[in-house]
Amino acid sequence: MVREQVRIDTRTLQWKCVESRTDSKRLSYGRFILSPLLKGQADTIGIAMRRALLGEIEGTCITRAKSAKIPHEYSTIVGIQESVHEILMNLKEIVLRSNLYGPCEAAICARGPGSITAKDIIAPPYVEIIDNTQQIASLTEPIELCIRLQIERNRGYRIKTSNNVQDGSYPIDAIFMPVRNVNYSIHSYGTGNAKHEILFLEIWTNGSLTPKEALQEASRNLIDLFIPFLQTEEENLHFEQNKHLLPLCPPLLPDKLVKIRKNKKKRALKSIFIDQLDLPPRVYHCLKRSNISTVFDLLNNSHEDLMKIEHLRIDDVKRIVAILEKHFGLDLPKTFP
């Protein structure tokens, strides 16, 4: 646990982490201060940050499970101690961290007798299991249990309904929120016109990200929500009329906000791996041999660069360009003589 003495700087607005601890693999705590603020500002920021932390940050969950041995969600299987419903509830408790773009699949395939835990999940390399000890099921007989899982990244929560049952697979209530709880309090000091406030912000997360990471992500999301208000109505109208031709480029935004937006997009592209793009295996292996692992790496190569890769044909490059256009609205850079 890290705990620091609070020192108030009355000259410039500053934030600081004054306490940080990890209670378990699935529970982290952080306490932050922001000061000095004018009267009323702490409440404004506290309300906005609390809502952004709880509702605007994306998380990763198992959203669906499928097995040939599952006849019904409320059935039991011979040789398995837990009911199917209990297994689904255990899968719901597994905490994941990822930079997914779209859903992906994982699997569990184990043979009893023995205990099945989160470490038995075979997941893509870009999905991290926070607590490998999470219990899933107990096999009491020498039987084999195979379950296919669907993993998604989203925000908020999704309640399963009976209409979501598809081909013998069963939906799982998904709580995508990595922030479990947020509290804020306000301390006032000074008198008269010199009265100021300190905002104290407490954040609990599920371990998939630290409270500091959650605070910074929520701040970036809030900035993105307010950026449109910095544009004039004429700029917005011009964009609506030409959105199929030109990307939105806010020239009047403060340099710092433009830089934040660009950095966020860059981080996102670095987090999307090419094995999430539904490429043919041959094309995928050609790119990997050329040290192209993410969409960001891909966009650093022109059409001509890709054509120089061994065993990569022009039809393959066209397919890559089509995928980038469909999912991201992007194209490879072109080199000109």
Side-chain angles (χ1 to χ4, degrees):
M1 181 176 68
V2 178
R3 189 189 298 266
E4 297 186 18
Q5 184 178 357
V6 178
R7 296 184 178 86
I8 301 173
D9 189 339
T10 59
R11 295 169 297 176
T12 58
L13 189 64
Q14 294 181 344
W15 75 277
K16 188 175 184 180
C17 178
V18 294
E19 185 177 351
S20 176
R21 68 172 185 263
T22 301
D23 295 331
S24 68
K25 289 184 178 180
R26 289 183 284 168
L27 183 61
S28 298
Y29 170 82
R31 189 164 183 253
F32 307 87
I33 61 169
L34 179 66
S35 69
L37 296 164
L38 298 179
K39 185 177 180 180
Q41 289 182 337
D43 205 33
T44 301
I45 298 173
I47 292 173
M49 286 303 302
R50 187 176 189 276
R51 292 183 67 88
L53 283 162
L54 292 173
E56 296 297 328
I57 301 179
E58 292 187 341
T60 305
C61 289
I62 298 172
T63 58
R64 190 171 289 275
K66 180 178 181 180
S67 175
K69 292 188 176 182
I70 298 180
H72 190 274
E73 179 180 349
Y74 297 100
S75 62
T76 57
I77 301 175
V78 176
I80 301 179
Q81 182 175 315
E82 294 84 358
S83 67
V84 173
H85 179 72
E86 289 174 323
I87 294 175
L88 295 177
M89 291 302 98
N90 289 338
L91 291 172
K92 175 183 173 181
E93 295 298 321
I94 294 175
V95 178
L96 304 173
R97 177 186 176 111
S98 78
N99 291 299
L100 275 177
Y101 174 79
C104 75
E105 290 191 351
I108 300 172
C109 195
R111 186 171 183 80
S115 179
I116 300 178
T117 62
K119 67 178 176 57
D120 295 305
I121 296 177
I122 305 170
Y126 43 82
V127 176
E128 177 187 356
I129 300 171
I130 300 302
D131 184 5
N132 286 326
T133 64
Q134 170 64 38
Q135 176 73 13
I136 297 176
S138 299
L139 305 185
T140 57
E141 297 182 13
I143 63 171
E144 189 176 74
L145 178 64
C146 291
I147 305 175
R148 291 174 57 191
L149 305 173
Q150 178 177 283
I151 298 174
E152 296 182 55
R153 180 180 171 88
N154 211 321
R155 66 185 183 91
Y157 60 90
R158 183 191 304 161
I159 301 299
K160 66 178 181 179
T161 64
S162 56
N163 295 331
N164 286 337
V165 178
Q166 301 172 0
D167 302 327
S169 65
Y170 298 92
I172 299 173
D173 290 336
I175 302 176
F176 294 104
M177 299 178 292
V179 176
R180 289 296 183 236
N181 192 22
V182 180
N183 286 335
Y184 78 90
S185 58
I186 301 169
H187 172 70
S188 300
Y189 63 96
T191 57
N193 294 332
K195 195 168 185 178
H196 290 84
E197 296 178 339
I198 305 174
L199 174 65
F200 290 84
L201 197 63
E202 295 179 288
I203 303 172
W204 289 262
T205 70
N206 65 359
S208 62
L209 76 173
T210 66
K212 181 178 178 181
E213 289 173 332
L215 182 62
Q216 293 174 336
E217 182 66 20
S219 300
R220 286 191 289 266
N221 290 340
L222 278 177
I223 289 172
D224 282 348
L225 289 174
F226 286 111
I227 278 178
F229 291 111
L230 298 176
Q231 299 169 328
T232 64
E233 293 182 4
E234 290 77 11
E235 286 177 317
N236 288 333
L237 179 61
H238 177 73
F239 169 66
E240 288 295 327
Q241 293 173 342
N242 300 278
K243 61 183 179 182
H244 62 291
L245 297 175
L246 299 172
L248 177 61
C249 182
L252 299 181
L253 291 181
D255 292 341
K256 192 170 184 178
L257 293 185
V258 173
K259 185 177 180 181
I260 289 174
R261 173 176 269 188
K262 288 181 178 178
N263 288 341
K264 185 175 181 180
K265 183 177 181 181
K266 182 178 178 180
R267 283 194 300 271
L269 295 176
K270 283 184 175 181
S271 302
I272 302 172
F273 294 84
I274 60 173
D275 50 357
Q276 297 174 249
L277 300 183
D278 195 25
L279 295 169
R282 181 179 56 79
V283 176
Y284 169 77
H285 290 298
C286 287
L287 295 176
K288 287 291 287 184
R289 281 196 297 268
S290 298
N291 296 321
I292 298 176
S293 300
T294 66
V295 172
F296 182 78
D297 297 334
L298 197 56
L299 292 172
N300 282 332
N301 291 270
S302 66
H303 294 71
E304 291 78 6
D305 292 333
L306 294 185
M307 287 300 299
K308 295 176 182 178
I309 297 177
E310 189 177 4
H311 304 307
L312 207 61
R313 301 189 292 262
I314 187 169
D315 289 342
D316 301 326
V317 176
K318 288 180 179 179
R319 180 162 186 169
I320 292 171
V321 170
I323 290 174
L324 291 175
E325 172 63 29
K326 177 181 177 181
H327 294 294
F328 309 101
L330 300 171
D331 192 6
L332 296 173
K334 294 181 174 64
T335 57
F336 298 94

